[in-house]
Amino acid sequence: MWLKGKLYLDEIREACIEFDTTIKQIRANCVPDVEIPEGTIVFPGAVDMHVHVRGMRLSYKEDVTSATKEATYGGLTLIMDMPNTSPYVNDRNTIKEKLSEFEYYSRCNYGIYSGVPREDVETMPIAGYKIFPEDLEKEETKLILKSEKLKVLHPEVPLYLFRNMRGTWMELASLYMINGKRVHITHATNSETVRISKAMGFTVDVTPHHLLVPGERDCLTKVNPPIRDITERSKLLSSIPQIDAMVSDHAPHSKWEKSLPYELCPPGIAGISFTVPFAYSLAFKGILDLDRVVDLISRNPSKILGIKYGEIEKGYPANFTVIRKENWRYSTMFTKAGETPLDNYPLDARVYMTVVRGKIAYMDGEVLPVKGVNVFDKNSQR
């Protein structure tokens, strides 16, 4: 197949791509099978390193189909699923169960993390391990820190009793409780977490809601780690040049759960489809360079995960995020968790098309039945 249009090839220029599941060649002219309309730009496929798909016994909150349809609507070609579901994913059987669910129902490419495991899962096709605060002092955690796989840390120490005690010091203290190769710090909420993480040789990401949501006011804005005050959020925004990636930390819950009293409702903000248009809006507004945005949502996540992804180059997988310059207000479309504090946020970029493994997974409001693969399983990509 040949696709023609404006492409991001380290600069924006008119060109053609030939591809099937991988990119075969790029050249100036062709007779296209698909021509991207004026006002749109083809970017490398976007990657979200931090998603809570739920599924299994928590499918009433979100399932693989609804999450990955929403992901493609948001321009994502690859999502990475967290293990704190039910059952908890940290042994061979639950890993197989979760991967089987993705294999049958995912509309985009995927990978999963194991929790700190109860048995040896090192040879399984997982992306790495998620370390939660309650894991920091476990003997098993010390063992996985020696692994060559990625380790993703939720940076808080497990000492809090009440939400108003979850200060930034807990986030900073946790960084000194971990060491090892390929450590990634997720959802930093303040600039000191970013600074110390980088000084310690870790990679680090940030979420849009920790930048944008004006404080934790109700169940809809309740999230772990908590949203900081305007001073901390402003400092965090100024740290974006040092940040490696932007993630959604999509954490869906049912409407009735989010309707519980504040003390009882579960923390988590939905927004898997927000991150990519928000990031490109920053570029279109002149706040960030376009190169920096591609680094945050495509190139750097791919490098951190250690996969051949996030570039439009010969030999790379044919995954593309096509963005249209458009003023609109954000709303969800396919997720079960339709309410989010990001609703109605004004954006300047909208996803026109998402291409996964050479096939159109989403285009202009419609999701198509494309089958994603586990990018950490060599056999699944044949």
Side-chain angles (χ1 to χ4, degrees), residues 47 205-208 211 240 244-248 275 278-279 282 296-297:
V47 178
D205 69 49
V206 69
T207 74
L211 295 170
I240 288 220
D244 297 287
M246 191 175 289
V247 302
S248 70
T275 309
F278 169 66
L282 293 178
L296 288 170
I297 62 171

Side-chain angles (χ1 to χ4, degrees), residues 216-251:
E216 197 169 282
R217 308 178 304 277
D218 50 27
C219 286
L220 202 59
T221 54
K222 184 178 180 181
V223 67
N224 291 339
I227 293 166
R228 308 300 179 186
D229 61 32
I230 189 169
T231 301
E232 291 291 353
R233 295 199 310 275
S234 298
K235 289 180 181 177
L236 184 62
L237 184 60
S238 69
S239 297
I240 288 220
Q242 287 76 52
I243 289 167
D244 297 287
M246 191 175 289
V247 302
S248 70
D249 187 16
H250 175 69

